Amino acid sequence: MDVYNPGAVVLQCGADSLTGDRLGCFNLTVKGHGDCVKFVKSFNVPLLILGGGGYTINNVARCWAYETAVLVDKEDIANEVPVEDAYHEYYAPNYNLHLTPSISMTNSNTKEYLKKYKTQILQHLSQLQGSPSVQMQEIPQESLLVDRILSKEALEND
């Protein structure tokens, strides 16, 4: 972020990385997913969050509800889904917002493996030049008027 210095960030938050997703093969919790959003938000640049992915619909709802709470600085919302919620039964059997990671999934990401790739990625990123820039300036109103006159003359000559 320091090197590229973006004017804005678009963050696609696909929920197929959550534990228990029908098609995904990751084991992230809703809190872990939200921590990623919180990390990107911490850079204080304009942020556009997009949904996407997620094939266990009740987990998608959990994820986006929590990420919305993170984005509006209200992440301390209750873990229990309110009984009054029209879709309460979708959250059975525990009726909680937060998911428990699957204990049957083996975490193949050793600290050494993650450190190796983090180092490699940071080295690649350090070779990037700063953000591309375009000189921005206001277009003088006179030039817009000339464009309109020329366009009108071209139409009249056709």
Side-chain angles (χ1 to χ4, degrees), residues 13 37 44 54 76 83 93 95 98 144-145 155 158:
C13 295
V37 171
N44 293 318
D76 60 343
V83 176
Y95 305 99
H98 292 284
L144 294 175
L145 182 59
L155 287 173
D158 282 342

Side-chain angles (χ1 to χ4, degrees), residues 18-155:
L18 290 173
T19 186
D21 190 82
R22 289 188 172 119
L23 296 181
C25 59
F26 298 100
N27 202 19
L28 285 179
T29 62
V30 169
K31 175 130 178 35
H33 215 267
D35 284 347
C36 295
V37 171
K38 190 175 185 178
F39 175 74
V40 175
K41 183 182 174 205
S42 73
F43 290 100
N44 293 318
V45 297
L47 186 57
L48 175 64
I49 303 290
L50 305 174
Y55 303 94
T56 304
I57 196 68
N58 48 355
N59 289 352
V60 172
R62 285 177 166 105
C63 184
W64 293 348
Y66 183 69
E67 288 176 354
T68 300
V70 167
L71 289 165
V72 298
D73 298 319
K74 300 287 183 190
E75 63 189 277
D76 60 343
I77 60 175
N79 186 36
E80 299 77 27
V81 175
V83 176
E84 300 81 24
D85 188 293
Y87 299 98
H88 187 258
E89 291 307 312
Y90 285 94
Y91 300 93
N94 63 11
Y95 305 99
N96 288 334
L97 177 67
H98 292 284
L99 301 169
T100 303
S102 171
I103 57 173
S104 64
M105 286 186 79
T106 304
N107 185 354
S108 300
N109 296 314
T110 64
K111 288 188 186 277
E112 295 79 23
Y113 172 85
L114 293 173
K115 183 178 180 182
K116 174 186 169 189
Y117 282 98
K118 178 181 176 184
T119 301
Q120 189 177 7
I121 290 166
L122 289 174
Q123 285 175 346
H124 288 295
L125 289 174
S126 72
Q127 295 171 13
L128 293 176
Q129 295 180 0
S131 61
S133 62
V134 176
Q135 291 295 329
M136 301 297 286
Q137 58 187 347
E138 231 178 279
I139 299 173
Q141 290 297 320
E142 299 81 37
S143 65
L144 294 175
L145 182 59
V146 170
D147 284 346
R148 285 189 208 134
I149 292 169
L150 292 175
S151 295
K152 184 177 179 184
E153 287 175 0
L155 287 173

